[in-house]
Amino acid sequence: MVTQPDRPVGRSRSTLVPSPVKEIALAEGIPVLQPEKPRGDEFIAQLRALEPDASIVVAYGHIIPKAVLDLPPLGSFNVHASLLPKLRGAAPIQAAILEGHAETGVTIMRMVPALDAGPMLLQVSAPIAEDETYGELALRLSELGALALIEAMTLVALGRAREEAQDDARATYAGKIDRESARVDWSRPAVDVCRAIRAYDPKPGAFTAHRGGSLKLFGARQLPHVERAPGEIVEIATDGMIVACGVGAVRVTQIQPAGKTRMSPEQLARGRAIALGDRLG
């Protein structure tokens, strides 16, 4: 198995933590390779020594060179969390929520030296619930993808897999998520703000500026039009706080100040950390 090197965690960055797949592999007695990048003669020799029939790539985070893709006799395959050719790229689950898609799914494809452009072996679709978060949808798709992968690899092993070329003209893209991507734009309609908050829950967390700091926002629900300036806190109650948007408003049920845990807006209001009339942005 190949996974990324152990990464430092914690404030001191002194503790190295292995990936979950490494922990499982070691428990099962599976050899583990952890190159900084999946390339070079030494790595290819180590990979060849494992004598793989096929390679399966899932959320690895590196571009894999052709020499590595072509090494296994049956080829290399990828589990991608969208219905390709829609939403090629790094963040298809978040993009599906942001764009308001009614459904998404998983695609099992043969890997080629181009971004998510290989021929498809199998697709399985799944609806997106109106209030579903990125974390919830990612969990569902991971389970769906595992089942689809088993089915696709069975077909490959039996020589019965049928590969379908993607229509590049229909391709769309979902770029990487950075911190600024998750900043809430309160001038947008409430429907867009709600989608953004769901798309970045639980991480990196949609956020907004407030009193010189920042607040992460979770649990948004769309509300009818409110005659207030975008970003203004209109109400704080036991079921959340209402914030005006460019069109309509949203009710946010949980917020997280920097360096603290999630809490209800009412808890923060009791400590006078937020108040009616405050502007977020």
Side-chain angles (χ1 to χ4, degrees):
M1 188 205 73
V2 181
T3 187
Q4 295 210 20
D6 299 354
R7 300 300 185 191
V9 297
R11 291 187 178 181
S12 68
R13 312 295 287 174
S14 60
T15 301
L16 294 177
V17 175
S19 66
V21 291
K22 177 184 177 179
E23 293 180 333
I24 294 172
L26 293 178
E28 297 294 330
I30 299 171
V32 177
L33 302 179
Q34 295 181 274
E36 282 292 339
K37 293 183 179 180
R39 60 188 69 245
D41 294 340
E42 181 181 356
F43 170 67
I44 291 176
Q46 292 173 331
L47 195 61
R48 184 176 287 111
L50 298 177
E51 299 182 338
D53 295 316
S55 292
I56 308 299
V57 180
V58 183
Y60 180 47
H62 282 297
I63 295 174
I64 301 176
K66 189 174 188 300
V68 175
L69 295 179
D70 292 345
L71 190 149
L74 295 178
S76 297
F77 304 89
N78 176 247
V79 183
H80 187 76
S82 79
L83 298 175
L84 292 171
K86 290 182 179 179
L87 301 181
R88 296 175 178 176
I93 302 176
Q94 295 94 325
I97 295 174
L98 282 170
E99 295 175 13
H101 293 192
E103 72 169 6
T104 185
V106 295
T107 302
I108 312 300
M109 66 175 177
R110 181 180 293 278
M111 296 186 72
V112 298
L115 180 64
D116 300 328
M120 303 175 294
L121 283 72
L122 184 67
Q123 286 192 321
V124 183
S125 63
I128 301 176
E130 185 176 350
D131 60 350
E132 198 160 22
T133 66
Y134 158 66
E136 293 165 342
L137 183 55
L139 179 60
R140 282 205 300 122
L141 293 181
S142 68
E143 295 170 347
L144 192 65
L147 295 174
L149 178 62
I150 292 171
E151 181 179 348
M153 290 301 97
T154 299
L155 294 172
V156 170
L158 295 174
R160 295 171 54 189
R162 294 185 178 180
E163 300 185 10
E164 178 185 351
Q166 295 188 43
D167 182 356
D168 291 341
R170 296 177 52 239
T172 60
Y173 293 88
K176 286 185 177 181
I177 303 299
D178 58 24
R179 174 171 168 78
E180 197 57 32
S181 303
R183 181 187 292 273
V184 173
D185 180 356
W186 297 106
S187 69
R188 302 289 300 169
V191 62
D192 293 340
V193 173
C194 285
R195 288 171 181 170
I197 293 174
R198 289 190 294 116
Y200 302 123
D201 180 355
K203 61 182 182 180
F207 75 97
T208 187
H210 176 253
R211 296 186 182 180
S214 67
L215 293 174
K216 289 187 177 181
L217 311 171
F218 306 94
R221 297 291 183 273
Q222 184 178 351
L223 297 175
H225 185 61
V226 173
E227 293 291 343
R228 299 291 180 87
E232 183 177 342
I233 298 176
V234 177
E235 177 182 303
I236 301 174
T238 56
D239 57 351
M241 68 178 181
I242 296 176
V243 184
C245 300
V247 177
V250 297
R251 185 186 303 278
V252 179
T253 59
Q254 288 187 311
I255 52 183
Q256 182 178 1
K260 297 184 179 181
T261 59
R262 292 194 196 190
M263 60 185 71
S264 71
E266 190 181 42
Q267 286 175 296
L268 273 186
R270 285 201 297 267
R272 299 187 179 181
I274 59 172
L276 292 179
D278 282 0
R279 288 286 297 275
L280 304 178

